[in-house]
Amino acid sequence: MTSTFPILVTGAAGFIGFHVSQYLLKQGLCVVGIDNMNDYYSVSLKEARLKELQNNDRFSFHQLDIADKNVMTDLFVRHSFEKVVHLAAQAGVRYSITNPGVYIQSNLVGFVNILECCRHHKVQHLVFASSSSVYGANHESPFSVAQKTDRQVSLYGATKKANELLAYSYSHLYGLPCTGLRFFTVYGPWGRPDMAVYSFTEAILADTPIDVYNFGKMRRDFTYIDDITEGVVRVCSNPPSMERSDDYFGSIPFRVYNIGNHEPVELEKLITTLEVALGKKAICNMKEMQPGDVLETFADTSDMQKHFGFKPHTPLKQGIDEFVKWYKRWKVM
């Protein structure tokens, strides 16, 4: 991908935002990163990611809140963004049950601000993070973008579905090219502490019991961060157009894709793989299903392969080994 203009990456101090920013910088591009640096999880981890990015003089950072319309408008006035990769959001299915307000502000108010700024400043492509959570109570496997996604089982999933609907409207009304990416359980180095791979690793090494919901019989389409990053950048380089019609979305410049590994793994297997990588046994506290959880996520990624030649290639063992190596380095930094 080539560009004479900086690319905006929102949530640049977050897990996926950090890796996408790093990838773009390695391609010789200029990146403007924004993040509100909230304390949903370790701020020191976000600061460490940011420090890595700031070693590159083609990266600039602004700490701001996307829900603040005035500061977002000012940012777009000061920079000429051709492309925007919008990854900032309040994450977490379970947290949305107890703290709904932050999801409304970040995932809805903030997202509308992004759409408005992209619309008024003629952005050529908005790529935004959706989630496998939009499939909610869907039981058809693998999950396909052609399936209905109107039975949300978490507020988080509902906000991500709302993002897709809002982006579709802006594409239809204003011709704004938008692509939504439904991420499936991303893991890897610099990952989030609230996600299973990180939290299980931490607990196993500390000889602390881990809560395993639905007695380990849930399956997740674990997708390694390097595969995700490559997919995001490929999509960013190829905006949808009105001339390229689609059976599901029609001829407006809007598309949604699953971005996953197409290989769901039971939690029991994940734990076993971690035990081997760590050389320690886990102490498992088996529990019933939690509200907001789903039994399985399984991505149909055929459209990503067809349109972008994208196919994840990192097996779970390799990805877990890389995560564990990073985790041990991180803990002594």
Side-chain angles (χ1 to χ4, degrees):
M1 179 165 60
T2 59
S3 177
T4 56
F5 297 94
I7 295 173
L8 174 62
V9 178
T10 74
F15 177 31
I16 301 175
F18 161 71
H19 282 277
V20 169
S21 297
Q22 205 172 49
Y23 192 105
L24 293 169
L25 292 168
K26 287 177 181 177
Q27 287 191 330
L29 299 169
C30 294
V31 175
V32 174
I34 64 174
D35 203 294
N36 69 355
M37 305 295 286
N38 69 31
D39 61 358
Y40 169 63
Y41 65 82
S42 168
V43 175
S44 63
L45 177 56
K46 296 179 182 181
E47 290 172 341
R49 294 178 186 137
L50 199 54
K51 186 177 179 181
E52 292 281 320
L53 294 174
Q54 289 173 325
N55 287 331
N56 193 310
D57 58 11
R58 281 179 283 99
F59 178 80
S60 61
F61 178 72
H62 303 271
Q63 184 171 345
L64 54 84
D65 188 346
I66 60 171
D68 188 325
K69 182 179 179 180
N70 291 331
V71 298
M72 288 303 297
T73 299
D74 182 61
L75 179 76
F76 275 75
V77 168
R78 284 185 287 134
H79 298 278
S80 296
F81 300 121
E82 284 187 345
K83 297 181 176 71
V84 173
V85 182
H86 177 51
L87 301 169
Q90 178 57 57
V93 169
R94 292 163 190 164
Y95 190 63
S96 71
I97 295 172
T98 55
N99 293 275
V102 294
Y103 289 79
I104 302 304
Q105 283 299 305
S106 183
N107 299 8
L108 297 182
V109 175
F111 189 68
V112 170
N113 288 340
I114 290 288
L115 288 169
E116 278 288 281
C117 287
C118 288
R119 168 199 169 195
H120 288 294
H121 293 272
K122 310 300 181 186
V123 166
Q124 295 179 8
H125 194 193
L126 168 63
V127 178
F128 66 94
S130 186
S131 168
S132 61
S133 293
V134 302
Y135 288 104
N138 174 63
H139 296 299
E140 294 180 63
S141 289
F143 296 167
S144 164
V145 295
Q147 293 167 2
K148 286 186 177 181
T149 53
D150 53 4
R151 293 188 296 161
Q152 302 304 317
V153 297
S154 71
L155 178 66
Y156 172 69
T159 63
K160 287 301 184 178
K161 180 60 182 177
N163 287 173
E164 295 180 5
L165 296 172
L166 287 163
Y168 182 93
S169 297
Y170 270 70
S171 288
H172 176 76
L173 292 170
Y174 309 114
L176 176 64
C178 296
T179 304
L181 296 175
R182 294 174 178 171
F183 294 120
F184 280 70
T185 318
V186 188
Y187 75 100
W190 297 98
R192 280 172 31 202
D194 62 315
M195 298 292 282
V197 170
Y198 191 116
S199 62
F200 286 2
T201 296
E202 195 166 49
I204 292 169
L205 289 175
D207 294 316
T208 302
I210 59 177
D211 291 336
V212 182
Y213 293 98
N214 201 41
F215 308 98
K217 298 303 179 184
M218 293 193 298
R219 304 206 312 162
R220 293 290 180 267
D221 203 335
F222 291 100
T223 315
Y224 189 60
I225 185 59
D226 287 359
D227 294 329
I228 288 286
T229 302
E230 181 188 339
V232 171
V233 174
R234 286 196 190 196
V235 169
C236 191
S237 303
N238 294 278
S241 67
M242 290 187 178
E243 290 75 32
R244 207 168 57 196
S245 184
D246 178 90
D247 290 342
Y248 186 66
F249 297 109
S251 58
I252 69 168
F254 175 87
R255 299 290 182 272
V256 170
Y257 295 94
N258 289 330
I259 183 164
N261 200 43
H262 192 64
E263 192 174 328
V265 173
E266 278 202 351
L267 284 185
E268 284 182 330
K269 181 178 178 181
L270 171 69
I271 293 166
T272 301
T273 306
L274 278 170
E275 288 174 333
V276 171
L278 295 167
K280 289 191 74 174
K281 295 291 288 183
I283 305 168
C284 296
N285 184 18
M286 297 297 185
K287 290 193 166 187
E288 301 279 355
M289 279 276 282
Q290 280 203 126
D293 269 350
V294 295
L295 280 173
E296 178 183 65
T297 62
F298 182 6
D300 177 351
T301 56
S302 55
D303 285 348
M304 279 289 289
Q305 189 168 353
K306 176 183 175 183
H307 294 161
F308 306 106
F310 169 78
K311 186 176 183 180
H313 58 268
T314 309
L316 183 69
K317 182 184 183 306
Q318 180 185 336
I320 292 297
D321 286 346
E322 290 300 318
F323 171 79
V324 167
K325 281 193 288 187
W326 167 81
Y327 180 87
K328 289 180 176 179
R329 289 197 306 271
W330 163 245
K331 285 303 175 180
V332 298
M333 286 173 68

